[in-house]
């Protein structure tokens, strides 16, 4: 996936360039700036001294010295006051200018911290949204692997109510792998979700779909065919779909070009979220790729929770996945 959100210490990232959230002097500081200078060693400061500082919203590049990264791109984020002093535009410019510099230096992999979201006080969830929006737009036109590195959980705060709701949903649905399935059976005509025996009888009586031909046709179609017909049905363009799913253009063309292509489960789920499919449609799409939402997998249950609520906001989904220590969509 071209854009990944990871939890890590950016000084440990072995990428072509890491981005530093610096101040206008470029002479070091605390936070990620301090960590990068500490890990890079004195050579970095010596080179920074030759740059003559950097304006807010702009970016300058140096070597990486003792860091695993080849370059450090220093950018200066805005100090957040109230969101009415052009902070968003300046923050967007930090990402845009840094990506342009990375491209100029033929970087294939770049890692960003959440610029301005520490000492400079930019609310972390809004800082993340700016980062994802600017990077995603860039990636639609450019080939690069970009990481957003989240250092502390505070970056993903989740409302108490949402956390409790999801916790209850998990408790109601989570079954560990060793549950005795003799009491559970899967209804043949329903999505492959485990049902109690009572549900099994109900399903058997389930009337066949009205438009039998269309349903029979859909049963035969492959994952790739279902994806393409859903894109048309939703009135989306290919690019809107794969960008919203955070899938790169190369992978999408592979899927489009191979009627029997079998994607990974996270990729199939990412498309279901992007297309805002219902739970049944999601189960159908997953089934065509050989998967099912499993109730012995917290990640799946959280995805199921959001789809059942009709909430396809990838940020809120990632906040929840992060809060429950699960890997993130688009990651
Ligand atoms: N790896 C990744 N992210 C980190 C790390 C790290 N090692 N250390 C801190 N962060 C995160 C913080 O949690 C925060 O989310 O980086 C984000 C940016 O926080 P700051 O480093 O405080 O940067 P910023 O808010 O842009 O303030 C810049 O702080 O350090 C000084 O010299 C710097 O004056 C400048 C100001």
């Amino acid at each position: 996936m071209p854009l990944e959100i990871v939890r890590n210490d950016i000084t440990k990232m072995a990428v072509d360039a890491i981005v530093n959230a610096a101040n206008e002097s470029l002479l070091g500081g605390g936070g990620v700036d301090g960590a990068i200078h500490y890990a890079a060693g004195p050579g970095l400061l010596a080179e920074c001294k030759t740059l003559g500082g950097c304006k807010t919203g702009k970016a300058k590049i140096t070597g990486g010295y003792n860091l695993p990264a080849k370059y450090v791109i220093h950018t200066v984020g805005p100090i957040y006051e109230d969101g009415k002093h052009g902070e968003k535009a300046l923050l967007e410019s930090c990402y845009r200018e840094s990506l342009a510099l990375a491209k100029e230096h033929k970087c294939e992999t770049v890692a960003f911290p959440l610029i301005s979201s520490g000492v400079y006080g930019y609310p972390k969830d809004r800082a993340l949204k700016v980062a994802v929006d600017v990077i995603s737009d860039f990636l639609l036109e450019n080939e690069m692997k970009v990481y957003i590195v989240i250092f502390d959980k505070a970056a993903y705060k989740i409302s108490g109510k949402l956390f409790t709701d999801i916790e209850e949903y998990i408790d109601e649905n989570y079954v560990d792998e060793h549950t005795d399935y003799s009491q559970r059976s899967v209804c043949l005509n329903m999505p492959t979700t485990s049902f109690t025996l009572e549900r099994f009888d109900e399903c058997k009586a389930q009337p066949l779909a009205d438009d039998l031909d269309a349903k029979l046709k859909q049963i035969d179609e492959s994952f790739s065919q279902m994806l393409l017909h859903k894109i048309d049905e939703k009135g989306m363009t290919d690019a809107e779909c794969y960008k919203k799913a955070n899938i790169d253009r190369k992978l999408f063309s592979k899927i489009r070009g191979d009627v029997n292509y079998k994607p990974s489960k996270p990729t199939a789920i990412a498309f279901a979220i992007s297309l805002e499919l219902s739970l049944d449609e999601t189960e159908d799409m997953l089934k065509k790729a050989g998967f099912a939402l499993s109730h012995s997998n917290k990640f799946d249950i959280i995805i199921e929770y959001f789809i059942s609520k009709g909430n396809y906001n990838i940020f809120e989904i990632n906040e929840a996945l992060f809060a429950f220590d699960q890997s993130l969509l688009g990651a």
Side-chain angles (χ1 to χ4, degrees):
M1 290 177 180
L3 169 56
E4 291 205 21
I5 303 171
V6 294
R7 282 176 74 180
N8 205 338
D9 172 346
I10 202 166
T11 62
K12 309 256 185 298
M13 302 277 294
V15 291
D16 291 336
I18 61 170
V19 177
N20 179 23
N23 58 56
E24 292 195 341
S25 73
L26 292 189
L27 300 180
V32 71
D33 194 4
I36 288 174
H37 274 276
Y38 179 77
L44 179 62
L45 181 59
E47 185 174 355
C48 283
K49 282 179 179 163
T50 66
L51 298 178
C54 179
K55 283 261 159 280
T56 299
K58 299 294 180 198
K60 290 191 177 178
I61 193 165
T62 64
Y65 298 95
N66 305 335
L67 288 160
K70 192 170 165 206
Y71 297 109
V72 179
I73 294 173
H74 306 265
T75 190
V76 182
I79 296 173
Y80 190 84
E81 288 178 55
D82 54 11
K84 300 188 184 95
H85 292 76
E87 296 97 322
K88 183 166 180 275
L90 282 168
L91 187 58
E92 288 170 340
S93 168
C94 287
Y95 287 97
R96 229 174 263 126
E97 297 275 322
S98 302
L99 287 165
L101 260 184
K103 182 178 178 180
E104 205 181 296
H105 287 74
K106 306 208 180 339
C107 295
E108 290 176 2
T109 53
V110 182
F112 282 93
L114 271 186
I115 299 161
S116 280
S117 69
V119 166
Y120 282 0
Y122 211 108
K124 291 199 185 238
D125 51 340
R126 279 184 240 166
L128 178 68
K129 180 121 184 49
V130 167
V132 171
D133 286 353
V134 175
I135 296 167
S136 304
D137 283 346
F138 172 85
L139 290 174
L140 198 58
E141 309 301 332
N142 297 277
E143 298 297 317
M144 197 182 277
K145 176 83 172 196
V146 182
Y147 297 93
I148 297 175
V149 185
I150 306 288
F151 189 60
D152 52 18
K153 265 207 156 175
Y156 272 98
K157 61 186 185 313
I158 178 171
S159 72
K161 178 169 177 332
L162 180 60
F163 191 93
T164 319
D165 271 2
I166 294 170
E167 213 164 34
E168 280 163 11
Y169 192 85
I170 290 173
D171 290 347
E172 278 157 31
N173 292 283
Y174 183 73
V175 286
D176 66 31
E177 268 106 30
H178 312 297
T179 299
D180 170 11
Y181 279 95
S182 59
Q183 295 311 313
R184 307 174 76 88
S185 17
V186 176
C187 169
L188 302 180
N189 297 330
M190 296 288 277
T192 48
T193 310
S194 320
F195 280 80
T196 58
L197 283 173
E198 304 76 62
R199 286 288 286 138
F200 184 77
D201 293 336
E202 223 176 282
C203 297
K204 270 195 311 183
Q206 182 193 3
L208 273 178
D210 307 342
D211 179 351
L212 198 54
D213 280 355
K215 285 285 170 201
L216 287 174
K217 237 187 249 126
Q218 285 177 17
I219 287 176
D220 294 339
E221 69 183 358
S222 69
F223 171 85
S224 165
Q225 287 166 327
M226 178 174 182
L227 173 62
L228 298 178
H229 107 237
K230 283 292 175 195
I231 291 176
D232 294 343
E233 208 177 270
K234 303 283 179 181
M236 292 171 88
T237 63
D238 289 355
E240 281 166 348
C241 179
Y242 66 72
K243 180 188 164 193
K244 212 176 143 200
N246 189 28
I247 300 293
D248 64 26
R249 201 162 16 131
K250 266 190 298 199
L251 176 54
F252 183 82
S253 348
K254 244 193 241 166
I255 296 173
R256 170 175 264 292
D258 173 1
V259 70
N260 298 314
Y261 188 87
K262 287 274 187 277
S264 70
K265 188 171 181 180
T267 296
I269 289 177
F271 278 119
I273 297 290
S274 161
L275 291 162
E276 302 193 359
L277 299 186
S278 69
L279 203 48
D280 285 353
E281 291 172 316
T282 300
E283 292 276 10
D284 281 348
M285 182 169 259
L286 283 173
K287 213 180 329 182
K288 295 195 185 297
F291 302 113
L293 285 179
S294 154
H295 279 181
S296 55
N297 176 326
K298 277 194 188 167
F299 179 95
D300 289 8
I301 294 178
I302 292 170
I303 295 293
E304 186 180 302
Y305 169 85
F306 278 91
I307 292 178
S308 63
K309 301 280 180 201
N311 181 345
Y312 296 93
N313 178 324
I314 195 161
F315 285 101
E316 288 186 28
I317 298 173
N318 271 338
E319 280 169 13
L321 290 168
F322 195 85
F324 285 89
D325 292 321
Q326 302 298 310
S327 58
L328 306 184
L329 270 183

